[in-house]
Amino acid sequence: MRDVAVLGVGMHRFGKFPDKSVTELCRDAVVAALADAGVQWREIEAVAAASSRFSGGKGWGLNGNDVVEDMGSTGIPVYNMSAGCAAGGNAFNIGYALVAGGIYDVVLVVGGEKMPKGFIQTSGVEEETDPEFLRQRCVGMPGPAFWALLCRQRMEEFGTTEEQLAKVAVKAHQVAVHNEYARFRKEFTLEEVLGSALVSDPLRLYEICPVSDGAAAAVICSAEKARQLASRPVWVAGSAVATARFDDGLPRGLAGMVPPGKSYHSEAALAVSKALEQAGAAPEDLDFVELQDNTVYYELAFPEDWGLCKPGEAEHLLERGETLPTGKLPINPSGGFLSFGEATTAMGVFQVCELTWQLRGEAGARQVPGAKLGLGQTLGLGGNGTAVVLKR
Amino acid sequence: MATKRVPVVEGLFSEGADGARLTGSRCATCKTPYFPRSDLCHNPDCTQSAMEDARFGPQGTLWSCAVQNYPPPPPARYDEPYRPYALGVVDLADGLRVVGRMAVDDPKHVKVGARVELVLEPLCREEDGTELITWMFRPV
């Protein structure tokens, strides 16, 4: 395997952009990533793109083809990756593998999304053989309710308070004020978060990420190319994809077995441990983490799932300010999904952008001091998990 | 005339003299329970898939709960005007962890760790008054 570098990254600000198509959002991100990398569109040898479920892609998730047609059809291969909300992370992994494996020298990874209004309807399939259909028709458990169930379980197990949940959101917005790409750049007080509507008790509106439009892109290349082109490349220390284990205790679909141990979102834990192993790093070596905070719950649960802290310790780290960019365990210095909103299939690439800016020391007022090693993680429907470890 | 009661989806549950049960499968080799029914054992460590029909319930313990405060998007069903309902994840005594609504008047009065039993209750009513039935959990 060859060493792979992130040569350039670019993003379209997240928000609601009714007058722009997803391909236009991607165009801005791609043009910015090319400029940042210092390469011409002609030099891109392949595209690994996240397949969108909600926008563009000719209705078939062919979003990478849309990007190529828009930028100029040079005849290059396009890989459209579908993995639910993990599609961006999945596309990065494929791009990485193609460069690391020596197939191409310069690859563009891109993810973009325009989301429909309101909460995501998890299943578009009206078939009684589809577990998501059955779960929604027979029970009525949309995403936020699922997160609320996980959150309540944690509150019972560790005594997590409603104030602590709210503090995760307060912290997210506190750092997002300094991120020009974030959708919400406004601080919220604890009272404002606690005063927001209870969407799915115990979770409140400001504790759940909304859906957004947005796009992100990264140009990655071989070490040889990077040495020619980059003054300060960021290196891919690990990139991994995983799916959920059979003995995962998460209530997916209608039912599963009562698990032998505590293992939720095994797809995320597996991807993270594989990526760290590739990087030859231990969890405590990480200087910061960008994790998928669809809700405040995940910022508390994931660090301990991955061995970044002890079970039940996350609340204390939060209270002491250790998860801020200046703390011992900075989590989501970008502001995270809570501040960006989720443009589902863009998120894995969005994280690569933030990791790169942090590792270059370009993150301004939200900079993690001296950041050398960072982790990004996404997960998606179907039990898809992705992780990437970047280093400088 | 008695109200007509119809399962919201066929083949997922039944009610006999011994009460409500979920209709699923269990692998005779590795004992893994499945709901809904499965023709194949999905346990990667199982040496020989041997699926048998199985019925699950009614006793269980509430693993977690939540309140659905806003009307869920399609294909969920509910009566207008919308009333928030409680959701539960229940560990049944026979080894199945299953999701379901809670059959309680006040969704706030549900506690994690509570002993619950499986019941079949109306999810909503059709225009002609037909009740669509689903499985729910009621604190014992």
Side-chain angles (χ1 to χ4, degrees):
Chain A
M1 298 281 268
R2 304 192 297 176
D3 284 341
V4 177
V6 178
L7 203 54
V9 292
M11 208 187 285
H12 187 290
R13 189 184 173 185
F14 280 44
K16 296 308 273 181
F17 306 102
D19 300 330
K20 283 189 176 180
S21 71
V22 65
T23 306
E24 287 171 308
L25 299 180
C26 286
R27 181 193 301 161
D28 278 17
V30 170
V31 167
L34 290 170
D36 190 40
V39 303
Q40 301 296 313
W41 169 246
R42 269 269 173 209
E43 295 174 75
I44 298 295
E45 297 168 25
V47 173
S51 277
S52 165
R53 179 183 152 216
F54 299 101
S55 50
K58 310 175 201 309
W60 287 74
L62 306 176
N63 297 75
N65 297 82
D66 287 349
V67 167
V68 168
E69 288 167 16
D70 188 49
M71 294 301 297
S73 297
T74 50
I76 55 174
V78 172
Y79 303 85
N80 292 295
M81 305 309 299
S82 181
C85 300
N90 219 305
F92 183 85
N93 177 256
I94 287 299
Y96 164 77
L98 290 169
V99 177
I103 311 295
Y104 307 112
D105 282 326
V106 187
V107 170
L108 172 74
V109 181
V110 58
E113 192 81 87
K114 268 180 69 92
M115 296 295 293
K117 272 190 181 165
F119 289 100
I120 299 172
Q121 187 185 332
T122 48
S123 175
V125 182
E126 289 260 346
E127 283 174 17
E128 290 178 2
T129 52
D130 179 60
E132 268 301 323
F133 170 78
L134 288 177
R135 178 145 106 162
Q136 301 311 329
R137 173 57 57 86
C138 302
V139 179
M141 185 188 286
F146 173 71
W147 299 324
L149 285 160
L150 297 178
C151 191
R152 174 64 71 194
Q153 208 282 329
R154 182 177 183 87
M155 293 169 87
E156 289 295 322
E157 188 174 358
F158 293 116
T160 313
T161 64
E162 294 189 18
E163 286 73 21
Q164 286 170 332
L165 297 177
K167 278 179 184 170
V168 176
V170 170
K171 187 228 56 163
H173 291 296
Q174 198 181 329
V175 293
V177 166
H178 306 296
N179 195 332
E180 63 186 298
Y181 296 101
R183 175 172 173 185
F184 305 108
R185 297 186 65 189
K186 170 182 173 312
E187 289 206 40
F188 287 85
T189 64
L190 189 64
E191 291 67 34
E192 282 174 313
V193 177
L194 287 170
S196 67
L198 263 176
V199 171
S200 279
D201 193 352
L203 289 175
R204 294 181 156 81
L205 187 64
Y206 293 171
E207 296 167 350
I208 300 169
C209 83
V211 295
S212 280
D213 306 336
V219 176
I220 60 175
C221 70
S222 61
E224 198 184 344
K225 272 276 180 196
R227 277 190 280 271
Q228 290 168 17
L229 295 169
S231 53
R232 41 183 184 167
V234 164
W235 298 97
V236 184
S239 169
V241 165
T243 48
R245 286 174 54 96
F246 180 72
D247 60 3
D248 192 291
L250 209 62
R252 306 169 200 257
L254 292 183
M257 63 174 176
V258 176
K262 190 184 163 185
S263 166
Y264 320 134
H265 283 305
S266 52
E267 70 275 37
L270 279 169
V272 167
S273 65
K274 278 169 70 177
L276 283 172
E277 192 185 324
Q278 289 170 13
E284 58 268 27
D285 296 333
L286 291 166
D287 295 313
F288 68 105
V289 176
E290 282 285 323
L291 58 77
Q292 181 160 337
D293 59 328
N294 285 115
T295 156
V296 292
Y297 161 82
Y298 285 115
E299 191 161 321
L300 300 172
F302 275 155
E304 66 189 40
D305 275 2
W306 308 337
L308 301 173
C309 68
K310 294 190 204 71
E313 196 189 357
E315 284 81 351
H316 304 293
L317 291 170
L318 168 77
E319 296 264 23
R320 294 202 303 266
E322 301 290 7
T323 55
L324 283 164
T326 48
K328 268 198 308 198
L329 178 60
I331 300 176
N332 293 355
S334 67
F337 289 30
L338 288 171
S339 308
F340 275 72
E342 189 178 11
T344 55
T345 54
M347 302 316 282
V349 195
F350 145 79
Q351 290 177 338
V352 167
C353 293
E354 178 67 11
L355 293 178
T356 302
W357 289 323
Q358 287 286 348
L359 293 168
R360 287 177 181 168
E362 293 177 353
R366 64 178 197 284
Q367 179 68 44
V368 174
K372 291 190 181 69
L373 195 70
L375 168 75
Q377 166 275 334
T378 69
L379 51 84
L381 191 66
N384 287 296
T386 77
V388 59
V389 177
L390 298 189
K391 67 177 178 188
R392 75 167 151 95
Chain B
M1 205 178 82
T3 311
K4 200 174 156 200
R5 287 163 61 96
V6 177
V8 64
V9 172
E10 292 284 348
L12 294 175
F13 45 80
S14 63
E15 191 149 36
D18 57 350
R21 296 289 188 279
L22 297 174
T23 308
S25 323
R26 191 186 286 279
C27 176
T29 307
C30 70
K31 311 299 178 200
T32 300
Y34 291 93
F35 172 67
R37 267 198 194 94
S38 176
D39 293 331
L40 179 72
C41 182
H42 306 304
N43 179 359
D45 294 325
C46 181
T47 50
Q48 176 70 57
S49 174
M51 303 306 287
E52 296 174 344
D53 286 347
R55 300 171 76 223
F56 300 109
Q59 305 300 328
T61 307
L62 193 63
W63 181 78
S64 190
C65 59
V67 183
Q68 179 62 26
N69 276 325
Y70 68 93
R77 299 287 306 266
Y78 53 85
D79 284 327
E80 298 284 358
Y82 177 75
R83 288 180 60 217
Y85 53 85
L87 290 162
V89 179
V90 170
D91 286 351
L92 290 175
D94 35 26
L96 194 75
R97 175 171 285 179
V98 59
V99 300
R101 283 199 197 189
M102 302 300 295
V104 289
D105 291 330
D106 183 351
K108 286 262 182 204
H109 286 173
V110 181
K111 290 277 173 271
V112 174
R115 289 181 55 217
V116 298
E117 66 175 359
L118 185 76
V119 292
L120 301 183
E121 293 284 326
L123 181 72
C124 62
R125 280 157 197 81
E126 301 273 46
E127 269 181 26
D128 65 0
T130 302
E131 289 180 339
L132 296 183
I133 306 300
T134 193
W135 73 92
M136 295 193 192
F137 296 100
R138 175 179 290 149
V140 201

